[in-house]
Amino acid sequence: MEVLAYKTGVEFLQAYVRCWDDYQRCTEFIHRLYNHFNANIARLSGIRSCEVTAMQGCIHTTTLSIQIWKDMLSHYDLIPRMIKCIIEEVRHIQQQPHGHGLDTMLIYAKDILYSIVKIDCSRRPQNAQSRPLDVHTEARKSMVYINQFEVNYLILMEHTYNEKCMLLTQNNMAVYIREALDFMNREVAMAEVWLPSLTIDKIKQEMMAVFVEAQAQPILISVNAILRSGNDDDLKKLYDLTHFTDMGPWVDFDTQFYEYIKTTVLEKTAPLMKFPTAQEYIDVLLREYTHFRNILVNLFRNNNRLHAALGNAFRSVVNHRPSNSDGATAPDMLARYVDSILRKNGKSSSSDIEDTLDKCLDVFRFMDDKDIFQKFYSHHLAKRLIFNCSTNQDLEEALIMKIKVHYGHEYTNKLQRMISDRNVSLTLSTEFSTQCSKLSTKMEVIPTVYVLQTGSWPLGSAAPEPLDLPRGLVRASQEFQKFYSNKYNGRLLHWNHQLSSGEVRTTYLPRQYFISMSVYQMSVLLLFNAADRLTISDIGARTKISSKPLRLQLNGLIDCKLLMLSNPATKYNWQAASDDLVIMLNKSFAGKRIRFKVATTSSKEVKEETDRTRAAAIEDRSIWLQAAIVRIMKARQTLDHSQLTTETIQQCAGRFKPNISLIKKAIETLLEKQFLERSPEKRDTYIYLA
């Protein structure tokens, strides 16, 4: 120990480490020697070795050796000297341009600090002395380490970090974030070489306070610029810096992330809302959601707060209401988009379609107006099933099942019954076709008939437009009526020709064509088997179609040039002409394709149907609210107005976001219908009437 009194700097630390290593080796030799003596004493005395060491007055050799070393350190006052020397050497080396000699010095410093911890924590039970000492755990108990080394070292580091931070803030914020993160990583890597985990955690907290918390405002201001730059490396470093410790984040930029996503996506979708196109609008939503989702997973480690920010941002976008609209456009758009990818087009494989549908479900989950989506989706599904234009019925059923898993049986009940009705109808049609083949007189047409439950299909409440069917179809409908009545006694069928379609084959042209059209158009066109020229009034009288619907059906046949006007001058305003206008069969018709379809609806009619569907969904809300209120009141019997409103909103959360005024109106309706009554004591409290 006398040798150490004349050493300074790194030489002093090296000399101490050599002395400590020699002393430990000697201690280990003595420990083994006395273990041998203990074993011999135990053998001669007929007792166990552990009983020898437990005798009163016995001292463990390891405990004794540490106590002797501790007394020597205290006598020569070496601990304060060593700690001061370590801190001075670390400061000196850090001031060097390349930190030359730091690695060697840290090895000595580590051995010295661990020896101090071991000596300071030597007061342990003797039966525990044989276990190896865990420095990371024992450092928490060492007052010498904490009070004499750690406190002073952290003060030095705070000063160093402040100087470094002042130097880095001279750069722009993107460079600052990169440089600060690199510096912090180097500091932690260096600390892990020689310091216990207790001190490393405090160093991290100190660096976060200096490099992040103190610079919080500039960092937050730079978030938008870094996001807009699209530099993945900068984004990852931004997240890693602000979430450097598990105790973070010290700077939380989830609000900036939310605002950036919302603003960016709305900027890209706003032009598409002026001229709504389902394909482009939903494509943008899916593309942007995938983009930000990848950033979240790959760069932001799927952080929970940022994940919530992403969800809230897209929820705001999906439920955004344009200024000229009475509701969000997303429910209608998504329903049309799903319809377009589930229709037969031959462009995508089943796996690609399924992947796209899974992405569409992400958009669906963000919607508040799920009831409006359901209304539009059921209309499109009905058309796909009735007109047999669905890509794959398995995909239809799979999508409905996925929606059912998240939103329950009630939401998808009607959709599943529609699928079931179609399957049953196909079986019925097969049986009917078999029966028709056994008739004595052969039928001109054997139709495929869909028997649909009125309450399950969105067929509308208006009565179908009257129609006098062609002769072949009259017999087919009569035969099916007879077949169905024999099979199901007591069931009543109503024919809905507005949803019926068929295929007509031409025989009067040099080239044969197969043309799909509605039954109304078919009834009109087949009249020209007997005459080449007919007035509108003649066509109306023979088909029983009223004037306005008849002109709409004729419009499709004239547009595709199967029929033509006798007076070309009336081409642009013929629908306003009198019923005496003559319509002629176009005997020189020539089409590009052998098979084609005649349009049955115009863009104006599609817009009107969209408005009717949305209005019907809004109207259904009042009925649904009344049912929800009755369910709540039946369970609770008595509730005040605010509680009833809150519980009603909670029940509606899975379908739509109800307006408070709509809830009040539903309550008033139930009061009038005597489902509820006001409490005589409190007018804002309702009582359920059984």
Side-chain angles (χ1 to χ4, degrees):
M1 286 294 182
E2 290 84 356
V3 176
L4 299 177
Y6 305 103
K7 301 286 185 180
T8 58
V10 178
E11 290 184 359
F12 168 65
L13 300 178
Q14 289 174 336
Y16 175 83
V17 170
R18 283 196 298 271
C19 289
W20 171 248
D21 289 342
D22 292 343
Y23 186 78
Q24 281 188 306
R25 279 194 295 271
C26 293
T27 299
E28 180 63 22
F29 176 77
I30 293 171
H31 175 67
R32 291 180 181 178
L33 179 63
Y34 276 84
N35 273 348
H36 175 70
F37 292 158
N38 290 340
N40 285 331
I41 292 171
R43 181 172 53 81
L44 294 172
S45 303
I47 60 176
R48 291 178 298 177
S49 297
C50 60
E51 294 176 356
V52 175
T53 57
M55 289 179 181
Q56 188 174 3
C58 288
I59 302 175
H60 202 284
T61 52
T62 305
T63 304
L64 182 60
S65 65
I66 290 177
Q67 186 60 46
I68 293 170
W69 188 262
K70 186 175 181 180
D71 292 341
M72 286 192 294
L73 291 179
S74 177
H75 177 74
Y76 291 101
D77 197 26
L78 290 178
I79 290 179
R81 250 189 86 193
M82 286 189 293
I83 290 174
K84 183 180 178 182
C85 182
I86 290 171
I87 292 175
E88 287 178 350
E89 287 300 319
V90 169
R91 182 192 293 118
H92 174 71
I93 293 172
Q94 284 183 336
Q95 291 173 352
Q96 303 302 316
H98 302 291
H100 181 69
L102 181 62
D103 293 342
T104 305
M105 200 284 297
L106 291 182
I107 293 172
Y108 297 134
K110 175 182 178 180
D111 291 341
I112 293 168
L113 291 177
Y114 282 21
S115 73
I116 292 173
V117 171
K118 185 174 182 179
I119 293 164
D120 192 42
C121 298
S122 63
R123 297 180 299 276
R124 299 189 299 170
Q126 289 188 4
N127 60 3
Q129 295 294 336
S130 58
R131 294 199 300 267
L133 182 138
D134 182 2
V135 178
H136 295 286
T137 303
E138 297 298 335
R140 301 176 186 276
K141 305 174 187 177
S142 174
M143 291 300 102
V144 173
Y145 173 80
I146 292 173
N147 295 333
Q148 295 189 36
F149 171 75
E150 189 180 71
V151 171
N152 293 306
Y153 182 74
L154 290 176
I155 291 172
L156 169 64
M157 289 298 99
E158 182 183 4
H159 178 71
T160 303
Y161 298 155
N162 281 318
E163 288 182 347
K164 184 67 175 179
C165 184
M166 289 178 62
L167 185 64
L168 292 179
T169 50
Q170 297 174 11
N171 302 307
N172 65 56
M173 194 47 62
V175 175
Y176 171 85
I177 290 170
R178 287 197 296 269
E179 295 292 334
L181 183 62
D182 289 344
F183 176 79
M184 290 165 70
N185 284 327
R186 287 196 304 271
E187 285 293 302
V188 171
M190 182 186 75
E192 287 174 345
V193 172
W194 67 294
L195 292 173
S197 56
L198 168 71
T199 308
I200 294 172
D201 291 340
K202 292 179 181 178
I203 286 173
K204 287 181 179 179
Q205 292 176 32
E206 187 62 45
M207 287 193 294
M208 289 297 286
V210 173
F211 291 102
V212 180
E213 189 175 24
Q215 301 296 322
Q217 198 59 32
I219 290 173
L220 288 175
I221 293 172
S222 70
V223 169
N224 264 356
I226 295 173
L227 285 167
R228 287 189 181 279
S229 71
N231 189 317
D232 288 352
D233 187 54
D234 284 352
L235 283 173
K236 189 173 188 311
K237 288 185 182 297
L238 168 67
Y239 179 84
D240 290 344
L241 180 69
T242 55
H243 295 73
F244 192 74
T245 67
D246 295 334
M247 298 173 64
W250 290 59
V251 173
D252 198 348
F253 62 90
D254 56 337
T255 303
Q256 285 73 16
F257 191 53
Y258 163 83
E259 290 294 342
Y260 173 75
I261 295 172
K262 180 181 174 182
T263 304
T264 302
V265 181
L266 281 177
E267 284 176 357
K268 293 183 178 181
T269 56
L272 303 176
M273 289 183 181
K274 295 177 182 177
F275 307 100
T277 306
Q279 184 75 31
E280 293 181 14
Y281 177 80
I282 300 299
D283 276 343
V284 168
L285 282 183
L286 296 182
R287 185 170 60 250
E288 292 301 313
Y289 182 74
T290 302
H291 169 66
F292 287 111
R293 176 74 180 148
N294 288 338
I295 289 177
L296 183 67
V297 173
N298 299 328
L299 307 180
F300 296 162
R301 303 181 208 161
N302 212 9
N303 179 274
N304 289 335
R305 292 178 67 91
L306 294 175
H307 190 280
L310 172 64
N312 291 334
F314 269 87
R315 189 169 287 105
S316 297
V317 171
V318 169
N319 297 301
H320 176 71
R321 299 188 174 194
S323 56
N324 60 343
S325 173
D326 58 349
T329 57
D332 172 25
M333 295 282 200
L334 183 62
R336 279 195 275 161
Y337 183 82
V338 171
D339 180 59
S340 68
I341 61 178
L342 284 175
R343 282 182 176 271
K344 290 179 180 176
N345 50 31
K347 296 178 182 178
S348 303
S349 64
S350 294
S351 60
D352 291 339
I353 293 173
E354 192 168 1
D355 290 342
T356 307
L357 291 175
D358 287 339
K359 293 177 182 177
C360 290
L361 284 176
D362 289 329
V363 177
F364 173 68
R365 278 193 284 270
F366 296 132
M367 282 183 191
D368 288 338
D369 299 332
K370 292 183 174 66
D371 58 332
I372 294 179
F373 170 82
Q374 182 196 40
K375 208 76 173 176
F376 280 108
Y377 179 79
S378 62
H379 274 76
H380 293 303
L381 175 63
K383 291 178 180 178
R384 290 198 300 274
L385 296 178
I386 290 171
F387 298 120
N388 194 31
C389 56
S390 179
T391 303
N392 187 327
Q393 188 164 313
D394 290 339
L395 290 174
E396 300 276 9
E397 294 178 9
L399 177 60
I400 293 171
M401 285 304 298
K402 288 175 183 177
I403 296 174
K404 181 181 178 180
V405 168
H406 289 93
Y407 300 100
H409 173 73
E410 183 184 356
Y411 190 87
T412 58
N413 184 31
K414 289 185 178 181
L415 304 178
Q416 288 179 306
R417 281 193 281 171
M418 289 164 67
I419 297 285
S420 176
D421 282 353
R422 185 176 186 274
N423 293 337
V424 171
S425 297
L426 290 175
T427 304
L428 277 176
S429 293
T430 303
E431 293 176 6
F432 176 62
S433 178
T434 303
Q435 181 171 309
C436 289
S437 63
K438 299 176 182 177
L439 294 175
S440 55
T441 55
K442 189 176 180 181
M443 289 175 57
E444 293 181 42
V445 179
I446 301 178
T448 299
V449 181
Y450 293 119
V451 182
L452 316 176
Q453 298 179 62
T454 306
S456 303
W457 293 73
L459 304 179
S461 56
E465 185 68 29
L467 175 65
D468 194 352
L469 289 171
R471 184 183 58 194
L473 292 179
V474 169
R475 187 187 173 199
S477 63
Q478 290 172 347
E479 289 292 341
F480 185 84
Q481 189 98 23
K482 190 189 301 179
F483 161 77
Y484 192 80
S485 298
N486 291 335
K487 189 172 182 65
Y488 300 104
N489 187 28
R491 294 189 184 181
L492 185 62
L493 291 179
H494 294 281
W495 293 92
N496 195 329
H497 300 306
Q498 285 178 306
L499 298 173
S500 301
S501 62
E503 187 175 77
V504 174
R505 177 171 58 88
T506 61
T507 57
Y508 66 95
L509 297 168
R511 189 182 184 188
Q512 201 171 67
Y513 294 94
F514 297 87
I515 312 166
S516 297
M517 61 185 69
S518 71
V519 168
Y520 287 88
Q521 290 169 332
M522 184 187 298
S523 299
V524 170
L525 190 61
L526 290 178
L527 294 177
F528 288 89
N529 278 331
D532 294 339
R533 300 164 61 91
L534 290 170
T535 62
I536 294 176
S537 59
D538 289 338
I539 296 171
R542 297 186 189 187
T543 59
K544 300 296 188 294
I545 307 174
S546 55
S547 179
K548 185 177 179 181
L550 175 60
R551 290 171 187 261
L552 290 174
Q553 302 299 335
L554 283 170
N555 189 58
L557 294 169
I558 292 171
D559 282 349
C560 72
K561 299 180 181 178
L562 284 170
L563 300 179
M564 58 185 186
L565 303 170
S566 59
N567 183 4
T570 60
K571 179 179 179 180
Y572 298 104
N573 62 348
W574 72 270
Q575 292 198 36
S578 68
D579 288 348
D580 294 331
L581 180 67
V582 175
I583 309 294
M584 299 188 304
L585 181 66
N586 183 6
K587 292 188 175 181
S588 59
F589 173 81
K592 294 180 180 179
R593 293 178 297 177
I594 294 175
R595 292 183 179 274
F596 64 93
K597 184 178 179 180
V598 178
T600 56
T601 54
S602 62
S603 58
K604 182 181 178 181
E605 286 180 287
V606 171
K607 178 67 170 62
E608 290 175 353
E609 184 182 355
T610 300
D611 293 340
R612 283 196 304 270
T613 304
R614 184 176 287 274
I618 299 298
E619 187 178 341
D620 288 347
R621 285 184 177 180
S622 62
I623 300 170
W624 205 92
L625 279 172
Q626 291 175 37
I629 292 169
V630 168
R631 284 195 299 271
I632 294 166
M633 291 302 300
K634 188 174 182 180
R636 304 292 294 275
Q637 294 297 313
T638 303
L639 269 182
D640 64 40
H641 182 81
S642 60
Q643 287 179 308
L644 180 57
T645 301
T646 302
E647 292 196 23
T648 303
I649 291 172
Q650 289 173 353
Q651 280 215 8
C652 297
R655 291 184 64 87
F656 60 94
K657 193 173 182 179
N659 193 314
I660 299 299
S661 61
L662 200 59
I663 295 175
K664 289 182 179 179
K665 187 176 179 181
I667 292 173
E668 292 297 331
T669 303
L670 291 173
L671 288 169
E672 291 174 7
K673 293 180 178 179
Q674 297 184 353
F675 280 92
L676 309 176
E677 69 174 3
R678 295 185 186 275
S679 172
E681 291 81 15
K682 295 182 179 179
R683 300 298 294 168
D684 66 339
T685 301
Y686 305 106
I687 300 172
Y688 177 69
L689 299 176

